[in-house]
């Protein structure tokens, strides 16, 4: 007897095709958000999901097809479950998990920029004022020899500034190596090398063996100035410094000179500028005097010119030197020098607008 053909059309209503179609759909699944993935899981594997429905239907499949279709259905179910898992993992890992809801028109988080250090701001302002007056910028080494820091600047051998308390010596041979105590060393180097006339400012770091306090530090910055030509006079110096003070501290500023002494200048003076806080009336910044001390200066001593090979009969000149931290303190009323060296962001951020 011939075996009946058991493909009962009613009981195999295109199940194979539907399994294949569902398989293709599962493989192409690409939802990203957790919510979409969960919806897909319910749609496929939930109680009323399409895979679950196929399993229900499977019960009615003809026995001789059960093996084949059962395998196919199991593969389908496993594939669906694996796909859902993979999508979940990808969603958890992807940094752009919320990409679908990311609003690209939102303003970004502000990037916090660094600001210039007040000492740099002050130094550059000093230098740029003198540049406008026609001065060039010269620089020299921080590690120096005795000649450029003292000897050529007319410091007598027994001068106290050479002593260990003031100067950091690196070697104490007959020709000691030391850290420069002032930028006046650069004027010596300039006079030795540069053609005349010379008109320069020399900004730089200097070092002194001093106890650190609100008013003193072992490292600070200076700007040295030097002008050498024929017939340079004390009046020229006074005018240059007055113009500088007005650019730096305001057009109303006055200066006054007090006689002083430096080995490398004769005559020498110290310059005060009228207090820019009280306008000269007297306040606690100028300690009631109406004046603030800003620099030392003088006519370059003929001995200094000659030591660098310049004919002191033909040439004359003036020099000046100022502390950058001091100028910055006066300009911004900083009361403690240590603020400049501690890198406290609360202090530094106050200068952000001076960029
Ligand atoms: N070198 C001096 C100091 O460090 C500052 C100074 C004073 C420089 C007078 C000069 C000057 O050129 O003429 O205290």
């Amino acid at each position: 007897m011939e075996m009946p053909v058991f493909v009962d059309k009613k009981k195999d209503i295109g199940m194979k095709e539907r399994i294949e179609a569902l398989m293709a759909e599962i493989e192409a699944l690409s939802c990203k958000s957790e919510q979409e993935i969960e919806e897909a899981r319910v749609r496929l594997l939930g109680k009323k999901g399409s895979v679950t429905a196929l399993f229900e239907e499977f019960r009615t499949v003809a026995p001789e097809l059960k093996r084949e279709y059962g395998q196919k259905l199991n593969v389908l179910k496993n594939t669906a479950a694996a796909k859902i898992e993979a999508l979940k993992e990808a969603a958890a890992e992807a940094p752009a998990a919320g990409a679908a809801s990311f609003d690209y028109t939102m303003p970004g988080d502000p990037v916090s920029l660094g600001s210039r250090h007040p000492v740099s701001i002050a130094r550059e302002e000093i230098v740029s004022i003198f540049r406008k007056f026609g001065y060039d910028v010269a620089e020299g080494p921080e590690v120096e020899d005795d000649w450029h820091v003292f000897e050529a600047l007319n410091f007598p051998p027994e001068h106290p500034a050479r002593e260990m308390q003031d100067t950091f010596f690196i070697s104490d041979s007959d020709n000691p190596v030391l850290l420069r105590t002032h930028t006046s060393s650069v004027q010596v180097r300039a006079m030795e090398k540069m053609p005349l006339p010379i008109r320069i400012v020399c900004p730089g770091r200097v070092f002194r063996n001093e106890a650190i306090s609100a008013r003193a530090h072992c490292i600070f910055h200076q700007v040295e100035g030097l002008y050498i030509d024929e017939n340079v006079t004390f009046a020229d110096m006074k005018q240059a410094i007055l113009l500088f003070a007005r650019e730096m501290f305001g057009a109303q500023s006055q200066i006054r000179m007090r006689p002083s002494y430096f080995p490398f200048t004769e005559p020498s003076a110290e310059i005060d500028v009228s207090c820019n806080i009280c306008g000269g009336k007297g306040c606690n910044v100028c300690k009631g005097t109406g004046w603030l001390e800003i620099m030392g200066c003088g006519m370059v001593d003929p001995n200094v010119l000659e030591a660098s090979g310049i004919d002191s009969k033909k040439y004359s000149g003036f020099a000046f030197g100022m502390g950058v931290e001091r100028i910055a303190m006066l300009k911004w009323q900083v009361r403690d020098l240590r603020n400049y060296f501690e890198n406290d962001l609360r202090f530094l951020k106050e200068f952000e607008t001076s960029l």
Side-chain angles (χ1 to χ4, degrees), residues 54-319:
L54 282 174
F55 272 92
E56 291 290 320
E57 220 178 291
F58 175 69
R59 295 205 212 142
T60 63
V61 163
E64 56 277 44
L65 292 176
K66 280 221 153 138
R67 192 182 157 82
E68 185 195 345
Y69 282 16
Q71 272 176 1
K72 280 195 194 305
L73 271 178
N74 277 331
V75 172
L76 181 73
K77 186 180 162 192
N78 292 340
T79 309
K83 181 76 186 193
I84 297 290
E85 270 318 296
L87 286 173
K88 275 190 190 161
E89 268 172 37
E93 260 171 40
S101 57
F102 188 87
D103 182 354
Y104 288 93
T105 64
M106 290 274 284
D109 288 338
V111 177
S112 160
L113 282 181
S115 52
R116 320 260 349 255
H117 194 281
V119 170
S120 303
I121 298 169
R123 183 195 58 214
E124 270 159 41
E125 194 168 336
I126 297 165
V127 167
S128 79
I129 291 169
F130 282 103
R131 271 190 189 281
K132 277 195 277 186
F133 298 165
Y135 286 66
D136 287 328
V137 176
E139 286 184 351
E142 294 176 347
V143 179
E144 266 289 10
D145 52 25
D146 185 85
W147 170 259
H148 290 94
V149 176
F150 298 126
E151 186 84 36
L153 286 164
N154 204 31
F155 278 82
E158 72 285 1
H159 196 282
R162 293 172 178 235
E163 286 191 4
M164 299 296 283
Q165 307 90 284
D166 293 318
T167 308
F168 287 113
F169 286 93
I170 290 171
S171 79
D172 60 357
S173 60
D174 285 347
N175 187 15
V177 177
L178 46 93
L179 297 181
R180 66 182 178 194
T181 56
H182 55 182
T183 43
S184 302
S185 53
V186 187
Q187 56 162 283
V188 176
R189 290 190 175 270
M191 286 190 286
E192 285 171 346
K193 285 214 195 78
M194 290 174 73
L196 294 162
I198 296 172
R199 191 151 52 173
I200 53 168
V201 278
C202 322
R205 250 192 329 182
V206 300
F207 308 85
R208 285 185 202 177
N209 193 0
E210 287 196 31
I212 295 170
S213 72
R215 316 195 86 232
H217 209 283
C218 55
I219 302 176
F220 55 102
H221 299 76
Q222 290 187 328
V223 176
E224 182 82 11
L226 178 72
Y227 180 26
I228 310 245
D229 201 349
E230 292 178 38
N231 305 316
V232 176
T233 68
F234 198 91
D236 295 328
M237 176 175 81
K238 201 175 155 188
Q239 183 68 3
I241 293 173
L242 175 64
L243 292 177
F244 164 74
R246 291 192 169 163
E247 290 278 326
M248 194 78 202
F249 294 103
Q252 273 61 265
S253 301
Q254 303 288 330
I255 58 166
R256 74 175 183 187
M257 296 183 140
R258 286 176 288 110
S260 187
Y261 171 77
F262 299 102
F264 34 92
T265 44
E266 183 60 36
S268 304
E270 261 164 82
I271 305 280
D272 297 338
V273 64
S274 54
C275 178
N276 58 331
I277 310 300
C278 61
K281 288 190 202 77
C283 66
N284 63 351
V285 175
C286 60
K287 300 203 184 75
T289 64
W291 297 96
L292 302 163
E293 185 189 323
I294 55 164
M295 66 172 93
C297 65
M299 300 305 290
V300 180
D301 192 299
N303 287 345
V304 173
L305 294 173
E306 296 291 341
S308 300
I310 294 175
D311 182 354
S312 62
K313 302 244 161 31
K314 188 164 173 213
Y315 290 97
S316 58
F318 62 77

